[in-house]
Amino acid sequence: SNVFVDAKAAVGGTGTRAKPFSKVADALKAATDGGTVAIAAGTYFMGQGIVKAITLRGRCAAMTKLQGSNLFVLSTAGKRPQVEVTVQDLTLAGNGMVPIDVGSTVMVQGGDPALHLRRVHISGGRIVGVDAHGQGALLRLTDCVIDKMQPGQFKGEGGLGLSAYSGARVELVRVRVATARRIALLARGVGTQIVGHDVLVNDTLVDPKQGTFGRNQCNLYIYQVIFISGGIYACCAGSG
């Protein structure tokens, strides 16, 4: 079933095409497993976890923006089969709205969820743009852009483009990571994988602090990847 959202809708909507909700949060509460939340052009606040197998579909990335702190796809601790969430045709904009040194614009947390981002622009987040962690967590990005990362306000650290750790798997197809800070792609922890096809990484900003990273049984496979100017683009990190 479809649930509709329109930022211009009147208060008291029911989620139908004729009477859409005005807030994405209300639509997520009303959506059922397997359903679609259709989001009209406009800017919306987003900052909550998703534990349902749903699709969030915007009009297009240039016209539909979810702005705020985080879009979380969370583990359901075995209470249901694997949660699969699709987000497509919209912009996820952190824009530095959260003045703390934790968090990410998009996060998938193991052990069973899967998130597919399709034609999504991820921009302006703090600490890390896209984060996948935990054994069994799966994140796929297709035709996406990650850019304009921001450091945390307190320590001035972070601003990574994409991070995967603790056994998560990230798959990239036709993805651009631009203007990340210090590191564009980071894989760490036993069993962690980042697999990329047709990926462009450009203008990674250099970190003035030099650090060293060890190897710790993680894998980063990149095919047809172009790296253009900057600091550290990709690394596997750990202790030992």
Side-chain angles (χ1 to χ4, degrees), residues 7-132:
K8 299 178 182 179
V11 176
T14 58
T16 63
R17 187 185 295 272
K19 297 184 64 178
F21 291 119
S22 61
K23 297 180 180 180
V24 173
D26 293 335
L28 290 176
K29 291 179 182 178
T32 58
D33 279 336
T36 296
V37 175
I39 309 173
T43 299
Y44 306 81
F45 175 79
M46 183 71 187
Q48 62 191 96
I50 299 175
V51 295
K52 300 176 183 178
I54 60 175
T55 295
L56 272 65
R57 186 181 70 235
R59 181 171 179 181
C60 71
M63 301 177 70
T64 305
K65 179 186 292 187
L66 302 187
Q67 183 169 294
S69 55
N70 308 93
L71 187 152
F72 288 163
V73 178
L74 303 173
S75 171
T76 54
K79 294 181 180 179
R80 65 174 75 231
Q82 184 180 47
V83 174
E84 295 186 6
V85 175
T86 298
V87 179
Q88 63 185 59
D89 301 315
L90 48 78
T91 291
L92 299 172
N95 287 338
M97 290 183 63
V98 182
I100 55 176
D101 286 359
V102 297
S104 55
T105 305
V106 179
M107 185 176 78
V108 183
Q109 177 180 311
D112 60 2
L115 171 63
H116 189 180
L117 302 179
R118 184 183 295 117
R119 298 183 297 277
V120 172
H121 182 195
I122 301 156
S123 183
R126 293 192 183 279
I127 309 302
V128 60
V130 178
D131 176 82

Side-chain angles (χ1 to χ4, degrees), residues 139-143 162 169-177 185 187 193-201 219-227 234:
L139 173 62
R140 296 188 179 99
L141 288 82
T142 305
D143 299 316
L162 185 150
R169 178 180 173 88
V170 177
E171 302 173 359
L172 310 174
V173 179
R174 297 182 299 277
V175 171
R176 179 186 180 189
V177 183
L185 305 174
Q193 294 186 334
I194 297 178
V195 181
H197 296 266
D198 301 319
V199 177
L200 170 64
V201 178
N219 295 297
L220 193 152
Y221 307 97
I222 46 180
Y223 307 95
Q224 298 181 359
V225 177
I226 300 174
F227 298 115

